[in-house]
Structures are given as structure tokens and as C-alpha cells.
Amino acid sequence: MGEPILLTTWAFGQAANAVAWPGLLAGGDGLDAVEAVCRHVELDEAVESVGLGGLPDAEGQVTLDGCVMRGPARCGSVCSMSFCPHPVSVARRVMEESAHVMLAGPGADAFSAAQGFEAGVVLSEWARARWAEWRARLPSPFPPTAPSTLGGPSGPPVGDARPAYNPANVSSPASDAARSHDTVAVLALDAAGNLSGGCSTSGMAWKLPGRVGDSPLIGHGLYVHPAHGAAAATGKGELVMGLCSSFDAVERMRSGASPREALGGALGRIREEHDLAADDQVAMIALSPHGEWAGAALRPDYRSALRTTTRDEVVPPDPVLCA
Ligand code: ASP
């Protein structure tokens, strides 16, 4: 039996690790630990980008994304769901009980109900109030969408000359500089030597309805290969999604890179390929099947939460690519 490890994004991960640690230390399966970490954060109303505390989209609707992975043939994912605040558990059920890898929107909600999940509140009062404040500050009202009878996309009412809402044009607390936390992503190595990963998010605050980020996309927000390593991302999904950054990091580990080198390489590609804004942030974590780990970021305002048999710490990123 080996030594277990839990590595979670952001400082809030430390309290979540504490919930999952006893089971993992006692020889429990890493996937149970990953799910327990995410579920803890999903119910923490103080975390404004995950589960119940998650900030909604531009129309005030919370949509949740999450995934779990054990290996290329064992992964599950949901996106744009709002049935209950636990996308990580529904994603696990997709992996274990369906013939599919990913379910979206109403289908994910229907699957949740069919699987016996309890319907639950996903928009906290606090998040709803933040949305109302944000909406009241918009320079021009978000045009109400016109119901379409044609089955095509709906749009602003005919004759409404106001500009369409564009999240790039309004100041938003979704900017990482204004946020203290982000998606929960967690990697675990259990005593039996299995790597597992999971993540859960409400995505970008005030996003366009229908927007899905990197987090529920296998290979983008999370990738696990039992023999080569595991990696996960948090931050602005649009920077990750063109580069399959979690898959990229694991591929680098497969070629012999350490987790630290792999994350430096994957984040370096993000820096190369994007014209980064000053507050654009992506952070990543990586874990090898031998228990080597790393947490790295584009910017220094990121922390990982590490739990091992000898450590229970919040650790700064290394390397930081845009210090
Ligand atoms: N990566 C997530 C997304 O883009 C956001 C986050 O990490 O909070 O949806």
C-alpha cells in the first residue's frame, strides 16, 4: 500500500481536503475522496464559482458543470445542469450508470432525476442579490430575448436598437483580480496507487446563457491517465479550451517531464498562444502515479491545497509564468 495524496485547487480546498482525508488515509478509493472534496465545496455558499454559491449567467440562471475521471475509458461529465448543486456526483453516475461520457442541460437534469438525485436549490440568495446588483449597473439593459417560433436562435425584439449583452464589455467580478477563488479541481492518489480526478464549477459569472467552459471537458479542465499522471485546470476556460491543457500536461508527463515541468510547459503554451489581459489567470495542478505533485499558475494570486501523511498546507504556485 502506498501513501495517499490529495491535491486541490485554491485555498478553500484545504477544508474540503479535511473532509475527504480520513477515508483516503484509511485506504478508501480516490474517486470517493475526489467526490467528497467537490461536494463539500459545492455546498459552501462562500465559494462564488462552484455549486450553491455559484454566480449565475447574464439572465440570472445558474448552470453547473463537472466531471470525474479515472482513465481514458473511465470518465463522466455533465454541463449546463441545474437540477441540484452536485454536478460532480451526477458526472460520476454518468460514468458508472450510462453508456455515455457527457450529458448536457435538460438531459443532464432529467438523468439526475432518473438516478434518484434530490432536486435542490442551486442559486443562493447571496448570489441572486449579486446578480441583481450587477444587472442594475449594466450600461444598457440586457435585451430580453424574443421567443422564436422558428426553432432557430432567439434574439432581441425587432426594433430594439440596444447593443446585445457582451461579457467582454462590462466590468464583472468574474475577473480573477476581483475573485478570491474559482473552480474546484481535485486530484487524488489512493493507497492502492489509483489516480482519480474531478472538478465542479458554475463557470464564469454573468456568462452568456449557454456558455460552457473547460471544466467539464475531458482533456481540457481535467485529464487522468492511470500510468502517466493527472492534471486539472482552473481559471478562464477560454484560455484552456484551444489547447487541451490538462491533456497537454499529462502528455508531457508521459514523455518524462516532472509534474512541475509539465505544468510549466502547458501554461507556457497558453502564454504563447493568447494575447493575455493583465488579469487573465489559469492555474493548474498535476500529480504523478508515484506521488510527485505540482501547482502552477500564470499569475501569483493562486494557491493549491495539499494533504499528505505529513503535510496539510496551502501552497503558492511554482512556477508562476507571468509574475
Ligand atoms: N474554468 C472555469 C470555466 O471557465 C471557471 C473557473 O475556473 O472558475 O468555466
Side-chain angles (χ1 to χ4, degrees):
M1 296 289 267
E3 298 252 315
I5 298 181
L6 263 182
L7 181 63
T8 302
T9 53
W10 302 101
F12 61 64
Q14 190 173 30
N17 285 351
V19 171
W21 182 250
L24 194 64
L25 187 61
D29 192 291
L31 203 54
D32 293 335
V34 158
E35 185 178 359
V37 167
C38 291
R39 285 181 69 91
H40 181 83
V41 181
E42 285 168 344
L43 291 182
D44 184 345
E45 290 191 40
V47 179
E48 65 185 37
S49 50
V50 178
L52 185 53
L55 295 170
D57 67 19
E59 290 183 335
Q61 304 299 317
V62 170
T63 53
L64 304 174
D65 308 328
C67 67
V68 294
M69 187 164 191
R70 191 67 162 244
R74 209 166 162 227
C75 45
S77 167
V78 287
C79 68
S80 290
M81 64 164 278
S82 52
F83 183 81
C84 71
H86 293 302
V88 72
S89 296
V90 181
R92 182 172 180 174
R93 209 65 75 81
V94 170
M95 178 178 86
E96 292 176 342
E97 302 294 338
S98 85
H100 308 301
V101 170
M102 187 170 195
L103 294 177
D109 288 338
F111 177 80
S112 307
Q115 286 290 315
F117 285 94
E118 202 175 315
V121 174
V122 292
L123 179 63
S124 69
E125 271 310 305
W126 179 88
R128 200 197 59 72
R130 292 283 305 277
W131 171 78
E133 284 164 24
W134 167 79
R135 180 125 166 185
R137 286 199 310 270
L138 276 184
S140 61
F142 180 45
T145 51
S148 167
T149 53
L150 301 175
S154 57
V158 176
D160 187 332
R162 291 173 297 184
Y165 167 70
N166 179 347
N169 294 339
V170 295
S171 97
S172 158
S175 124
D176 291 289
R179 295 170 79 166
S180 56
H181 42 66
D182 231 320
T183 291
V184 59
V186 51
L187 304 176
L189 179 66
D190 62 28
N194 300 305
L195 285 171
S196 305
C199 55
S200 178
T201 189
S202 54
M204 185 184 284
W206 326 146
K207 62 195 173 188
L208 282 177
R211 181 265 186 194
V212 176
D214 61 314
S215 301
L217 301 179
I218 300 299
H220 297 254
L222 175 70
Y223 195 72
V224 179
H225 191 288
H228 307 305
T234 178
K236 191 172 179 181
E238 282 73 3
L239 300 174
V240 171
M241 292 160 78
L243 290 164
C244 306
S245 297
S246 294
F247 181 73
D248 181 15
V250 174
E251 280 299 288
R252 289 169 192 268
M253 291 163 73
R254 180 185 198 137
S255 304
S258 68
R260 184 182 182 280
E261 291 164 343
L263 295 188
L267 289 167
R269 285 203 70 192
I270 291 176
R271 186 180 55 183
E272 276 163 38
E273 297 290 345
H274 290 279
D275 188 11
L276 294 174
D279 62 354
D280 276 345
Q281 171 70 299
V282 175
M284 297 185 72
I285 52 177
L287 181 59
S288 84
H290 317 292
E292 301 160 284
W293 62 273
L298 293 177
R299 317 260 173 216
D301 64 338
Y302 163 77
R303 297 291 179 271
S304 305
L306 174 71
R307 189 79 192 246
T308 72
T309 50
T310 55
R311 299 175 69 178
D312 177 9
E313 290 170 39
V314 170
V315 287
D318 177 30
V320 174
L321 275 81
C322 309

